[in-house]
Structure formats: structure tokens, C-alpha cells
Amino acid sequence: MLKGKKIVLGLTGSIAVYKSCELIRLLIKSGCEVDAIMTKSASELIRPYIIEELSRSRCITDTFERTAVFDVKHISLAKKADLFVIAPATANIIGKIANGIADDMLSTTVMATKAVKMIAPAMNPDMYSNPIVQNNIKKLSSYDDYIILPSGVGDMACGDVGKGRMAEPEDIFNYIKRELSYPKLLKGKRVLVTCGATMEPIDPVRFITNHSSGKMGFAIAEVSEAMGADVTVIKANTTAKIPAGLNILNVGCARDMFETVKREYKNFDYIFMAAAVADYTPLTTAKDKIKKSDGDMTVVLKRTDDILEFLGKNKTSGQKICGFSMETRDLIENSRKKLEKKNVHMIAANSIVSEGSGFGTDTNIITILTKDKKRELPLMTKEECAFEIISELIKI
Ligand SMILES: Cc1cc2nc3c(=O)[nH]c(=O)nc-3n(C[C@H](O)[C@H](O)[C@H](O)COP(=O)(O)O)c2cc1C
């Protein structure tokens, strides 16, 4: 997907600059052309020679450098970029860009490019939380062609702990990949995704749940975002890595999920119900831990609310809804029945029995069912499945 893509990578004076070596390696390995521009401060922290070796091209450090090739470097790089990435981005470069300052090679090239600019802030938590920095970040986010990557929370090189760490190189790579891979078909649209497994409490320490990891829902959320949507995730319990920067509403049991969906659903254009919501929940939840006794015990279960059916009945005009199904047998027949009974636009049917598909895996085998169509997808990554599912729902 990335073969031949031209990435201009800006490196600024943060200790996190060493992590960008790994980002360059990932980009080169996937077939991108990388041109790096270092600020003077960045070149004090890491030798340009390392960047040149990894990127296999000349690293630019100075606006007025005399080059053998006769071109105006900041303009030629600005025009060449399919994507401009600044990682790490200091408070200084963010402030300069937000205020239109172009006083070195990097800031001048940023001002000259029409490419999308992806910024990965990296700084000490006190710098990051400084209202001036936050205002600059907010200002850049308000432009269509700037994407500000979420900063991580954790230990800093300076010894502080808090928010401001640069996103991990692999995560930045994935953002780049998604940004360059998907058409912006969801621009201006709002997408709601439910994901994970609900937890139905028996007593304060025990619960009933299922194996849903949340990976499929997160993939839909991330791809929707890369396609330009404003995304909200209603998340039950998940074991998958939670993508940074998503707008997440946490819920516990099926009842919570239902209440949250009921409260939120009217605000969205597309809804993907990827969560595995319990069909049954304990009739009562014991206040205290149930004590062990010698005999057997019975937990009486009652039906939960059918959230998909609620959405099918109450959907607003223009709103499109995709449910998910997972079966151990008669997958297509049961899923088609679900599509009709729930009165939704689409069901993504997962087989739990096929190799490489189902809970917790990175791949899936999905059949997409709509009123008059059945499309069987081959084994794909969950991200690839997500793109196909979203694209089909958009077409309806
Ligand atoms: C060792 C060291 C580490 C630094 N780390 C950061 C950092 O993580 N984030 C930041 O915004 N500034 C950091 N700074 C300060 C910047 O390097 C300084 O603001 C500089 O002017 C940035 O220039 P530039 O944006 O042109 O690269 C650091 C400075 C030093 C000496």
C-alpha cells in the first residue's frame, strides 16, 4: 500500500528523536521514499549521518545549504511530499507553524507544502499542558490539512511522568499507512462503534462475559477515522490494545451499553455494532460475595435488551446501521434472519469455526449481508475487513 509513497519527515529537537530512527526503518521497509529535514536542535541530539543511512537519502539541515542539484530545496520537497510528518514535534515547531513562522528549512517547507501534515508532539508534561502549547495544538487541529497525533502518557527522559510522550513509532507508522491508504469518504460524517464484551455481574467479584477482544471494533473505529469521520466508541471490556486518541465512552454491562447507545445514537450517520453484548444477565446481583457452600448453585438469567433491534426500530432517516453476528453453525441463514428481524442495513457475519477468524485474532473471515446481496470476503486482516465493511455500508 505504501510502495513509492513520498514521505517528508521533519525531525526536531526532542530526545524522542532517536525513536524516529525506527519510524524511518518501518517506512523504508514498506517501500516509502523518505526525505528527512532536521532542525539545528535535532542535529545536536542525533547525527544527521544516522538519519541519512536509515533513510538512504540526503538529510537536509540548513535552508541555505549549497546543493549539487540546482533546485530550491524547500519548494521541491514541499511539492514532492505525499505526506509530511513531523515526529518528534517540539513545542517550538508547533508554535512556529501555528503562527506562520518560517525561519528555517523545516518550518519553511511546512509553509510551502500542500500535503497533509501529521504532527507527533513530544515534550515534557508541563510543556505539553501549557495553555499556550495547547492553544497552538488546537489551532493546528482546526485546519483540514493538519493531523495532530495523540501523545502518550508515561515516563519521560527528563524523569517526569505524564502526558506528552511522542506516539510510538509503530503507531505513527500505522497512522501514516492508514492516512495514505483510505479515501476520505467519511469526511464530515459521524460514526459510532460499539466494541468489546459486556460483563454481567453475579456478585461484586464475579461476572459473566465472552471472548470478544474488541479488535474488530477498534479496526472499524481507526479506519473510519482515517476515512475522515468523527468517531465515538462505546467500549465494553476489551483485551486488545486500545488505540490512542479515540473518543471512548466506557460501559460495563449490557444495560449500560443499551443506556449509552440510546443516549448517543441519534447523533451519528453510521453505526457499527461490533460489541459482543450478553443476551442474558443474572436476574439479581448479590450485594455481597456469594459464599461457597457444599452443594451446587444456580444463577437465574434474564434476557437483556436487544440493542440492535432498538436501533432498527428507532433509526433516524439517513442513518445506516451495521450489526455483527457470530455463529458456530448455519452462519449465513441465521445472519440473514438477524438482518431481517432487526431491520438494519447490513450484517457482518463472522464464522467462529474457520481458521484465522473470530475472537482475539488479527485476521477475520467475514460475509457481508445486505437486503439483496451476499459478499463473502477471503481471510483478511481485521483492518482490511473494516475497510470493506465500511465501504459496503456507505454504498447502501
Ligand atoms: C536534551 C534536550 C531535550 C529536549 N527535549 C525537548 C522535547 O522533548 N520537547 C520540546 O518541545 N523541546 C525539547 N527541548 C528543547 C528544544 O530543543 C528547544 O526548544 C529548541 O529550541 C527546539 O528547536 P526546534 O524546534 O527547532 O528543533 C530539548 C532540549 C534539550 C537540550
Side-chain angles (χ1 to χ4, degrees), residues 11-16 39-42 45 89-93 96 104 122-124 127:
L11 303 155
T12 64
S14 156
I15 280 288
T39 61
K40 192 168 178 304
S41 315
L45 295 170
T90 54
N92 181 53
I93 191 75
K96 286 206 293 191
D104 63 4
M123 65 201 78
N124 156 287
M127 287 176 91

Side-chain angles (χ1 to χ4, degrees), residues 15 67 78 111 116 135 146 168 170 252 262 285 325 344 383:
I15 280 288
T67 53
M111 285 305 135
V116 167
N135 272 338
Y146 281 85
E168 293 306 317
E170 203 180 327
K262 263 199 310 192
T285 301
S325 68
V344 291
E383 184 176 321

Side-chain angles (χ1 to χ4, degrees), residues 145-156:
D145 53 344
Y146 281 85
I147 298 170
I148 312 297
L149 299 187
S151 296
V153 177
D155 298 337
M156 303 283 179

Side-chain angles (χ1 to χ4, degrees), residues 186-260:
L186 290 175
K187 202 147 192 57
K189 299 290 179 193
R190 299 200 69 201
V191 168
L192 180 66
V193 184
T194 66
C195 77
T198 59
M199 294 165 87
E200 309 304 316
I202 297 171
D203 69 12
V205 294
R206 303 177 181 98
F207 52 85
I208 301 171
T209 190
N210 59 68
H211 292 293
S212 177
S213 65
K215 275 188 186 172
M216 194 62 238
F218 286 147
I220 293 192
E222 290 188 292
V223 173
S224 299
E225 206 163 66
M227 290 174 77
D230 179 358
V231 179
T232 295
V233 176
I234 303 180
K235 186 187 92 57
N237 187 50
T238 55
T239 48
K241 184 180 165 205
I242 301 171
L246 283 179
N247 177 27
I248 292 182
L249 305 172
N250 287 299
V251 297
C253 62
R255 184 81 209 166
D256 277 354
M257 176 69 86
F258 184 45
E259 293 302 331
T260 311

